[in-house]
Amino acid sequence: MKNKFLFMLTAFLLVPAFLQAQVMVVRVDGNKVYLDTSSLNRNVQKGDLFKVILSSEKLTNPKTGKDLGLLYHYSQEGKIVEVQPLYAVGETEADKRIAVGQEVVLTAVAPAQQELPAATQETAKTSTHRKTVYEPVEQEVIGVTEANVTGENNFVTLSNKGQVTVWTRGDKSTLKEEMAFTLPNGKRALAVSAAPVKDNKAQIFVSYFDEKRQSIFTTVLENQDGALKEIANLSYFAKELGCGKSKQIWLQKPFVSGIYPGNARLLAYTDGKFAPTQETISTYRNWLTGLNHYAVETATAQNTVYTSSNGRLRLVMANGKRAESKDLFAGAPNRVKYKQEILKFYPSVQVFGPEGNAAFAAVESVSKLGILSDTFGQYQNSKIHFLTFEKGRLSVTDTVELDGVVYDTACTDSAVLAAEVLPDGNSSVVEIFK
């Protein structure tokens, strides 16, 4: 216990500071541990330190019964001795408890940041984007969108427990619950979308991972006589692309090649059922959450923008080449374990504005220092970066700081929507006006 406390205290207090990331053990060979680093948004270097999470237990307040998260038990500290493009090799004391599939806390000594003058710091924190933050609700919201469900524009949220809630805006930035629907047990909520696909009436599309059947499906909900009713179930992953009235629902076949999803097809309602059309877009083996489709380069050609595995945004040009952001944004708070793999659902990239001169809104999930949290994984909060495509590169023009972690975003006619999960587990819906 003493060694564990010292390790966590060191991560907070030593200068240079430590940056933490979460990786996985993929092979154990004596005192050598092979770590999958392919999804990290920073470089691993020789000399970096790591500890394997051997087990965890729930920590509760014995008087109040309040759940305080998980208490993690670690292996002895090891050191990275070899670095390859997609994996790293670490050496630690041989321990039979270390096994393939266990997660790892990886820390690296980072250069001390030079402190900016006070005036410069204040300028950097100021955003030109106006935002409205609604009063928190007692849910851990992993998805949010907007649609006319009750006769007016409603917020639709999806919680980590699979509850779909339709809200109306109240006075003084409050939200009033109008109706709700909860997924059955064993169905892990992934994403929520909403658009009027059938009869000019908004339907809600909730994608989930069926733990028993080990596949992804989407349930379709509709407001019928003041209650959300399930009207269809699709063997696809569904996600909305576009903003406000121009939103469309696209379907994606999961696990086409190993753990990779297939290309997307536009959803339509024909002959009394929801079904994919022949209109397709390439997803470049990405889930639809981290992808969008818009006329960015010119007003006459559609482009695809997506979050790459190294954390950068990539825009596919008309000639097939890719423009890339120089900054790192990717974060995947929403994960699903499928067989021996971890499926990562990156936050959506919103695209809006004049065709041929579009703007982007991308999420950066900020890594958490010190102990891992059961609620937030490796993230402590998020930012929304606004970007434009200029001189062959996606460049940041503004940044909006948030207080909590964002799993996904949506786009309305006037704003980018996010639901920030706060440290206490509650969530606030945030409108960031374009």
Side-chain angles (χ1 to χ4, degrees):
M1 177 65 71
K2 182 178 179 181
N3 290 337
K4 188 191 308 178
F5 174 76
L6 290 175
F7 174 73
M8 292 185 289
L9 185 63
T10 301
F12 278 107
L13 300 181
L14 280 185
V15 178
F18 284 96
L19 296 177
Q20 175 178 299
Q22 191 173 348
V23 296
M24 181 177 289
V25 176
V26 293
R27 180 177 177 180
V28 180
D29 188 3
N31 69 333
K32 288 189 175 181
V33 181
Y34 292 76
L35 309 176
D36 178 3
T37 60
S38 60
S39 297
L40 288 182
N41 58 7
R42 65 170 180 82
N43 294 325
V44 180
Q45 298 182 7
K46 290 183 180 179
D48 286 356
L49 306 176
F50 72 94
K51 283 192 174 185
V52 179
I53 302 175
L54 301 175
S55 62
S56 62
E57 59 182 295
K58 183 177 290 188
L59 190 65
T60 59
N61 185 313
K63 290 186 177 181
T64 65
K66 183 177 180 180
D67 186 356
L68 303 178
L70 294 180
L71 175 65
Y72 292 90
H73 302 286
Y74 300 95
S75 69
Q76 292 295 316
E77 186 174 278
K79 184 179 292 186
I80 300 298
V81 296
E82 179 183 345
V83 177
Q84 296 294 335
L86 299 178
Y87 70 92
V89 182
E91 287 187 353
T92 186
E93 182 178 321
D95 190 336
K96 293 183 179 179
R97 297 174 298 173
I98 298 177
V100 171
Q102 291 174 330
E103 293 182 334
V104 173
V105 177
L106 179 65
T107 60
V109 178
Q113 295 184 349
Q114 183 178 358
E115 187 172 351
L116 297 175
T120 305
Q121 290 180 344
E122 185 63 31
T123 300
K125 294 179 182 178
T126 303
S127 170
T128 60
H129 289 269
R130 181 173 61 89
K131 68 179 180 180
T132 297
V133 181
Y134 290 85
E135 287 294 317
V137 296
E138 294 182 355
Q139 297 181 21
E140 183 176 330
V141 176
I142 65 173
V144 62
T145 186
E146 184 187 70
N148 185 336
V149 180
T150 66
E152 59 180 292
N153 284 341
N154 306 97
F155 291 138
V156 181
T157 61
L158 174 66
S159 78
N160 67 326
K161 295 183 179 180
Q163 179 174 320
V164 181
T165 311
V166 177
W167 310 85
T168 53
R169 297 168 173 85
D171 295 333
K172 298 181 180 180
S173 299
T174 59
L175 295 178
K176 179 184 176 183
E177 180 177 333
E178 297 294 339
M179 59 189 74
F181 176 94
T182 302
L183 294 173
N185 291 335
K187 296 183 178 181
R188 166 75 183 275
L190 298 177
V192 64
S193 302
V197 178
K198 168 180 170 280
D199 300 334
N200 295 318
K201 186 178 183 180
Q203 287 79 45
I204 300 171
F205 300 83
V206 186
S207 294
Y208 63 89
F209 179 74
D210 190 315
E211 296 174 351
K212 183 176 181 180
R213 299 169 69 179
Q214 286 287 290
S215 192
I216 289 176
F217 300 90
T218 294
T219 188
V220 186
L221 306 176
E222 188 175 85
N223 176 11
Q224 294 185 359
D225 300 323
L228 290 178
K229 302 293 185 182
E230 184 174 3
I231 61 172
N233 196 271
L234 312 174
S235 58
Y236 295 89
F237 180 80
K239 196 70 176 75
E240 63 185 42
L241 300 182
C243 298
K245 297 180 179 62
S246 65
K247 284 195 303 183
Q248 295 177 316
I249 304 296
W250 291 78
L251 299 180
Q252 188 174 29
K253 197 70 175 177
F255 317 137
V256 170
S257 175
I259 64 168
Y260 295 104
N263 290 336
R265 297 170 66 182
L266 182 65
L267 173 68
Y269 185 78
T270 54
D271 299 327
K273 64 179 181 179
F274 296 94
T277 67
Q278 296 302 311
E279 185 175 348
T280 64
I281 56 174
S282 173
T283 63
Y284 302 93
R285 305 179 87 180
N286 291 274
W287 292 100
L288 275 169
T289 54
L291 177 144
N292 219 315
H293 195 60
Y294 201 81
V296 176
E297 187 182 5
T298 67
T300 58
Q302 295 289 313
N303 303 98
T304 299
V305 61
Y306 65 93
T307 305
S308 62
S309 59
N310 69 359
R312 300 182 189 273
L313 293 186
R314 287 180 178 165
L315 176 67
V316 181
M317 317 295 284
N319 59 8
K321 293 185 178 180
R322 289 169 171 78
E324 190 172 87
S325 67
K326 65 179 180 179
D327 304 281
L328 303 176
F329 306 111
N334 202 3
R335 299 183 174 107
V336 166
K337 187 172 183 180
Y338 171 69
K339 297 182 179 179
Q340 299 302 315
E341 302 289 343
I342 299 295
L343 308 180
K344 297 182 179 182
F345 297 87
Y346 293 118
S348 297
V349 182
Q350 302 305 331
V351 191
F352 54 89
E355 294 187 346
N357 189 25
F360 303 81
V363 175
E364 175 190 1
S365 294
V366 181
S367 296
K368 195 167 195 173
L369 299 175
I371 191 170
L372 288 171
S373 161
D374 179 39
T375 302
F376 296 108
Q378 70 186 75
Y379 306 110
Q380 63 178 356
N381 61 2
S382 297
K383 304 175 183 179
I384 305 290
H385 295 289
F386 289 85
L387 305 92
T388 56
F389 176 62
E390 297 175 350
K391 299 179 180 179
R393 184 182 291 276
L394 298 173
S395 301
V396 175
T397 59
D398 197 5
T399 298
V400 176
E401 304 270 355
L402 299 175
D403 295 324
V405 177
V406 172
Y407 284 76
D408 200 10
T409 61
C411 187
T412 73
D413 287 327
S414 60
V416 173
L417 285 183
E420 52 179 1
V421 181
L422 304 169
D424 60 5
N426 295 330
S427 302
S428 286
V429 174
V430 182
E431 285 182 292
I432 307 169
F433 295 91
K434 303 170 187 175

